[in-house]
Amino acid sequence: MTTPIEVRGVSKLFGLVRALDEIDLDFEPGVTGLLGPNGSGKSTLMKLVTGQLRPDTGHVRVMGRDPFADPAAMTAIGLCPEHDKFYEEMPAVDFMAALVRLHGFGARESLDRARAALVRVDLERAATKPLREMSRGMRQRVKIAQAIAHDPLVVLLDEPLTGTDPVGRAGLIDLVVSLGTGDRTVVVSSHVLHEIEAMTPQVVMIRYGRLRAQGNIRRLRALLEDRPYRIRVEIADARGLAVRLLASAEIRAVSLIDLHTVELTTVALDVTCAELPRLAASMGLSITRMVSPDADLESLYGYLVS
């Protein structure tokens, strides 16, 4: 089976600056978050995958084709770039239809696909509105719509939620999740970590042009054995629970925050999370709140990239 996106030994230099340094990556079907600080090489990687740049070493393949040299690869790719460049006087639906026609569809089908894509991003009522009259959030939706209108197998979204309102953002997150079903491969680059976490547990992290981590967030976090998990528990008798916790082999430290809150450090998150409710029940109590500030994407990103 052909790997949707294959990156092998890829380096890219701009003068003396090495934007990417011997990167090896495979992007499989589903949604993957592409993460890294500014200047890490995310945009360069996007441009290599979409055929806008040629690697200095190594190769990139999209559905087995070279995106820089093989125009047929473009039919498999949909790109939502970070920055837009529209024909401002055109209505959104006409602009969209023109782009779809570039993928080889006829005029009628291109218009139908443009309208259908605008419906998917909740812009059907603004389909005939000139692009220059659209808000930033609406323009962002047009970019996403044009990326998916020709039903590509590979979709790359560069900061897709920028400028969208909270309600619209939730809808677009649901759309991205739905895009990742079946055989489609979706790569989302964003600086907003909780939005990536809402879309997918699969991430790729790069820094200084080099791969730092790739895989499932929980599994990557579990590999950091030198970084124990903190868990904060709210319960009626925090002192009593703290005393019980000191006898557990998985617990490394216990701190009493106040009469109803205890924070513990554990090397086994899943085991401890399963044990805490049982321990509370044995005391005749129930836990009102339990959170781990070290088990999310933000903490993983902080350990590996920041």
Side-chain angles (χ1 to χ4, degrees):
M1 182 178 176
T2 302
T3 302
I5 303 176
E6 177 185 280
V7 180
R8 290 288 179 272
V10 166
S11 296
K12 185 63 186 176
L13 286 79
F14 297 98
L16 298 178
V17 178
R18 188 177 290 269
L20 290 176
D21 188 6
E22 295 292 329
I23 287 282
D24 285 300
L25 280 173
D26 285 329
F27 290 96
E28 300 292 346
V31 182
T32 300
L34 178 60
L35 307 174
N38 289 333
S40 61
K42 302 190 305 296
S43 293
T44 299
L45 180 59
M46 286 272 199
K47 290 177 180 178
L48 288 164
V49 172
T50 54
Q52 299 175 68
L53 294 173
R54 171 182 280 169
D56 293 316
T57 64
H59 72 262
V60 177
R61 296 291 181 267
V62 177
M63 305 307 296
R65 299 178 181 272
D66 182 346
F68 188 88
D70 188 346
M74 294 300 101
T75 62
I77 298 173
L79 171 66
C80 170
E82 181 178 4
H83 304 291
D84 59 52
K85 192 67 175 178
F86 294 142
Y87 290 97
E88 300 288 345
E89 72 282 356
M90 292 182 71
V93 68
D94 292 343
F95 175 75
M96 291 267 303
L99 293 180
V100 175
R101 290 204 69 179
L102 295 176
H103 289 282
F105 296 99
R108 181 74 258 173
E109 185 174 359
S110 294
L111 187 59
D112 290 342
R113 284 177 172 270
R115 287 171 174 161
L118 289 170
V119 169
R120 295 191 71 180
V121 298
D122 199 25
L123 270 185
E124 65 270 28
R125 295 182 180 179
T128 59
K129 189 173 186 175
L131 289 160
R132 65 171 175 268
E133 297 178 11
M134 288 191 167
S135 67
R136 187 182 183 190
M138 294 171 72
R139 294 166 71 93
Q140 197 72 15
R141 290 170 180 273
V142 172
K143 287 196 299 180
I144 296 172
Q146 62 79 30
I148 63 176
H150 59 293
D151 196 26
L153 288 172
V154 173
V155 178
L156 296 105
L157 307 172
D158 197 354
E159 300 290 346
L161 305 184
T162 301
T164 57
D165 61 84
V167 175
R169 194 174 296 122
L172 290 176
I173 288 173
D174 290 341
L175 173 61
V176 173
V177 172
S178 70
L179 287 173
T181 59
D183 296 331
R184 188 178 287 109
T185 300
V186 182
V187 180
V188 186
S189 176
S190 176
H191 289 92
V192 186
L193 299 181
H194 67 86
E195 291 176 351
I196 291 291
E197 198 165 17
M199 296 177 191
T200 178
Q202 296 296 128
V203 295
V204 167
M205 297 184 181
I206 57 177
R207 187 184 186 192
Y208 300 137
R210 300 184 71 92
L211 179 65
R212 292 287 291 162
Q214 179 179 19
N216 180 279
I217 296 169
R218 289 289 299 275
R219 291 174 184 169
L220 290 172
R221 178 62 181 87
L223 293 174
L224 300 177
E225 296 178 352
D226 61 328
R227 302 277 187 171
Y229 294 92
R230 288 175 298 144
I231 303 176
R232 183 164 291 200
V233 181
E234 294 181 7
I235 192 169
D237 182 9
R239 186 182 297 275
L241 179 62
V243 172
R244 296 285 192 95
L245 288 169
L246 291 173
S248 174
E250 289 80 20
I251 304 302
R252 292 292 178 265
V254 179
S255 299
L256 195 64
I257 306 301
D258 55 42
L259 292 176
H260 305 295
T261 309
V262 61
E263 184 172 281
L264 59 101
T265 302
T266 178
V267 293
L269 179 66
D270 292 340
V271 172
T272 303
C273 286
E275 179 62 23
L276 280 167
R278 289 195 290 267
L279 196 57
S282 71
M283 299 169 60
L285 302 172
S286 60
I287 293 171
T288 56
R289 187 168 181 263
M290 183 169 66
V291 296
S292 175
D294 290 323
D296 60 6
L297 178 56
E298 186 171 356
S299 65
L300 179 66
Y301 183 88
Y303 291 142
L304 294 178
V305 178
S306 297

